[in-house]
Amino acid sequence: MGGNVIKIPTSAKIRAARKHAGLTQAQAAALVHLGAQSRWAEYENGTRTIDLARWELFLIKSQRT
């Protein structure tokens, strides 16, 4: 997988990446197969940690790798 190591992002980084991709929380949630926008909101407000697989999927699908 090369030298690119994915790390758990901060809530601010998650929010910034979503906004940079031009997505709403609901769109970001749907992009990574979350059932509810509220889960994505939890990632952004820091009450829940996003798992690395879901974060990597978001980066790939939002073209931000």
Side-chain angles (χ1 to χ4, degrees), residues 19-63:
K19 288 183 176 185
H20 182 78
L23 300 171
T24 65
Q25 287 183 340
Q27 290 169 324
L31 189 68
V32 296
H33 311 289
L34 286 172
Q37 168 272 331
S38 60
R39 176 60 50 91
W40 191 269
E42 292 173 337
Y43 297 154
E44 288 191 15
N45 69 30
T47 58
R48 186 176 294 268
T49 302
I50 193 169
D51 63 271
L52 286 178
R54 195 169 303 271
W55 177 238
E56 187 170 11
L57 179 62
F58 176 79
L59 293 175
I60 291 167
K61 292 182 86 174
S62 67
Q63 303 298 312

